[in-house]
Amino acid sequence: MTQYQAPKGVSEYFPPRSLAFEWVRETLVAPAKLAGYNLLELPIFEDTELFTRGVGASTDVVSKEMYTFEDRGGRSITLRPEGTVGALRAIIEHNLDRASLPVKIWYAGAFFRAERPQAGRYRQFYSVGIEAVGSDDPALDAEVISIAYEGFKNLGLKKFRLEITSLGDRQSRAAHRIDLLKYISTLDLDESTKERVKLNPLRIFDDKRPQVRLQMQEAPKLLDYLSDESRVHFETVQKYLQALHIEFEINPRMVRGLDYYTGTTFEFVHDLLGAQSGIGGGGRYDGLMEEIGGQPLTGIGFGLGIDRALLAVEAEGLQPSTPTHSDLYLIALGEMAKVQALITAQNVKSEGISVEIAFGEKVLKNAMKRADKNGAPFVVILGDSELSTGSVELKEMKTGTTFSVTLSSLPQALRQALDGR
Ligand code: HAM
């Protein structure tokens, strides 16, 4: 028989690790919800042109990494490589930006990039994102950065750094572009690099090849070309971050892999992850709403890598704070007892207590072994005698103590026992 395998380079999570994955995702989303960001559930695929226009043709994401196909109606469709342009498309299409501003939304899910797979780099990966559209207040930049920061902190991570820079406004970039192109024209570069430079000269700062890096050492930096307005904005953001006690380094050479960034731009880097150390990043995008047909509103957001945040959690030896077992393990011996077990489990769950039933066990010894393995702190055995008396022994596994309780009071007794631990 054929042995099927998952496609190359995708990340998959199954128990028990999927519990840690879920905890990472919820922990990263929580600070956004607390700050008034609401869920935007987006399609996994969009018209290809949306990404080509929005993300930018000079990027690796668009030029090499999109999963693009023709659907049955002959339309060019692409699996979303990132969340921002889809989020803005939805905001424009549903007029969310015609209500009070900024529009603040969060999303989480799978994204697709046909990259060369390696540790921490997948072809299907998972991100949590937020976008705040319609305000250029520098306090919003600080809020967005602090939401990401709080998420990583709440995971217990310590070995991460925040790098920030400003890519300035249109005026700043135009002045810098002239000098940068002049500088680049003196360099020894291959043809394909020259082509990329024509589309977006900033991309060359992102080139990892040593011979290019060496030549770029003296290149003019955008930070030195900021207009007064951009400079004041950037300085104000820094002041707010300092007030929040969020440490950061300024990295004037930072180039993000997507073309839409302007102004404040940032990345969170984890020190134990090797080459794929970026656990999150984002920034402002001044012209993007207009680029994809919306009104001229600025916005700012981030994407946090759930896969990489989980790797970072594991690299730092941290444990999820959610238990990997149920509160109660319920063993039913005999056919009659099974019916009662199902009913009892229903009652226990209605109290918000988690319960697992031992299915298919005929012998008590085996059931107890499984109870031990399960790790549930409490066990109840339901057999003929329990059914006839209507009372059960609630056993605390750690101490071996048993309490006699009626079936009808079991949920309350369990609640008390759990709270008292
Ligand atoms: P991004 O930096 O391209 O930003 O992706 C966000 C995060 O997703 C990265 O920091 C990284 O942790 C994770 N990531 C990216 N590619 C992979 C991969 N192949 N495998 C595993 N993890 C990966 C964005 O996508 C922007 N939309 C963020 C944003 C929102 N900017 C403004 N608003």
Side-chain angles (χ1 to χ4, degrees):
M1 216 175 90
T2 323
Q3 276 281 313
Y4 294 108
Q5 291 184 335
K8 193 175 166 211
V10 301
S11 61
E12 287 190 297
Y13 298 93
F14 39 87
R17 199 168 175 246
S18 55
L19 297 167
F21 174 86
E22 189 184 4
W23 167 71
V24 169
R25 185 185 59 204
E26 300 313 312
T27 307
L28 294 178
V29 169
K33 289 192 194 171
L34 289 176
Y37 289 71
N38 290 319
L39 174 67
L40 183 63
E41 192 63 56
L42 292 162
I44 301 272
F45 55 86
E46 299 268 5
D47 285 344
T48 301
E49 198 191 321
L50 178 71
F51 296 119
T52 326
R53 282 189 79 104
V55 174
S58 82
T59 61
D60 278 356
V61 168
V62 166
S63 64
K64 302 181 194 160
E65 296 171 357
M66 294 207 300
Y67 282 100
T68 298
F69 58 94
E70 202 171 276
D71 75 359
R72 286 165 197 273
R75 290 169 286 258
S76 180
I77 293 293
T78 292
L79 299 185
R80 61 181 184 187
E82 64 98 55
T84 308
V85 294
L88 298 200
R89 192 268 310 136
I91 287 172
I92 298 165
E93 184 174 340
H94 305 297
N95 294 320
L96 306 186
D97 56 338
R98 304 283 169 187
S100 80
L101 297 175
V103 184
K104 298 195 300 183
I105 57 94
W106 69 268
Y107 49 87
F111 296 88
F112 306 85
R113 295 181 191 175
E115 300 195 75
R116 189 134 39 88
Q118 63 180 83
R121 187 165 73 190
Y122 311 110
R123 292 181 169 173
Q124 174 171 333
F125 61 96
Y126 296 87
S127 283
V128 166
I130 71 170
E131 312 295 343
V133 175
S135 165
D136 59 4
D137 190 334
L140 185 60
D141 305 33
E143 176 181 88
V144 167
I145 293 173
S146 75
I147 288 172
Y149 177 85
E150 282 160 32
F152 292 136
K153 274 272 160 209
N154 293 346
L155 290 174
L157 293 176
K158 295 212 163 48
K159 301 198 164 123
F160 70 90
R161 289 173 287 120
L162 165 63
E163 298 185 353
I164 62 170
T165 192
S166 172
L167 298 179
D169 51 17
R170 196 169 287 162
Q171 187 195 339
S172 323
R173 282 193 306 282
H176 173 248
R177 189 187 161 94
I178 295 170
D179 285 359
L180 181 61
L181 283 174
K182 224 185 270 170
Y183 179 86
I184 294 174
S185 70
T186 64
L187 306 183
D188 177 22
L189 298 171
D190 57 81
E191 281 311 311
S192 80
T193 311
K194 282 184 190 157
E195 281 306 306
R196 263 157 81 91
V197 165
K198 268 190 217 154
L199 288 171
N200 178 0
L202 287 177
R203 283 268 140 257
I204 194 166
F205 282 106
D206 207 16
D207 202 308
K208 303 279 182 303
R209 291 170 297 179
Q211 72 273 25
V212 179
R213 290 196 142 205
L214 195 68
Q215 295 189 74
M216 285 300 288
Q217 258 170 8
E218 301 296 318
K221 295 187 193 73
L222 186 41
L223 268 190
D224 298 326
Y225 290 76
L226 292 189
S227 63
D228 286 347
E229 207 180 314
S230 288
R231 192 176 38 75
V232 170
H233 185 103
F234 189 44
E235 283 167 3
T236 313
V237 173
Q238 292 175 53
K239 199 177 72 191
Y240 292 149
L241 291 177
Q242 278 153 0
L244 289 167
H245 302 290
I246 296 177
E247 280 180 35
F248 58 87
E249 298 155 32
I250 294 178
N251 176 1
R253 306 178 76 85
M254 184 198 304
V255 185
R256 306 257 311 123
L258 313 158
D259 265 355
Y260 47 66
Y261 289 111
T262 60
T264 312
T265 311
F266 56 93
E267 247 165 23
F268 287 88
V269 181
H270 195 273
D271 289 333
L272 304 181
L273 292 190
Q276 304 306 317
S277 59
I279 52 173
R284 275 207 173 266
Y285 36 80
D286 281 348
L288 184 56
M289 282 286 282
E290 279 169 291
E291 182 68 37
I292 59 172
Q295 44 172 345
L297 290 176
T298 178
I300 179 163
F302 64 58
L304 313 181
I306 306 174
D307 314 82
R308 290 187 193 169
L310 175 57
L311 290 172
V313 160
E314 290 166 344
E316 289 199 35
L318 300 165
Q319 290 293 329
S321 58
T322 44
T324 52
H325 51 69
S326 309
D327 299 321
L328 174 68
Y329 196 68
L330 194 54
I331 299 168
L333 299 170
E335 204 43 49
M336 292 289 284
K338 216 167 264 180
V339 182
Q340 186 57 53
L342 289 165
I343 297 168
T344 304
Q346 197 175 49
N347 292 338
V348 167
K349 283 183 288 186
S350 71
E351 283 293 306
I353 297 168
S354 58
V355 47
E356 265 184 79
I357 302 175
F359 290 108
E361 287 298 354
K362 292 194 177 61
V363 191
L364 182 60
K365 203 169 116 218
N366 293 349
M368 283 314 284
K369 265 197 213 152
R370 264 178 50 185
D372 255 343
K373 234 170 129 185
N374 179 276
F378 291 96
V379 171
V380 160
I381 298 162
L382 271 176
D384 289 343
S385 71
E386 283 81 8
L387 287 186
S388 63
T389 60
S391 117
V392 290
E393 298 292 311
L394 173 63
K395 181 175 181 187
E396 182 170 23
M397 293 300 274
K398 204 164 88 193
T399 57
T401 324
T402 56
F403 315 83
S404 207
V405 289
T406 60
L407 269 172
S408 57
S409 66
L410 180 63
Q412 290 72 28
L414 256 172
R415 170 56 58 221
Q416 267 184 8
L418 285 164
D419 290 347
R421 285 169 76 231

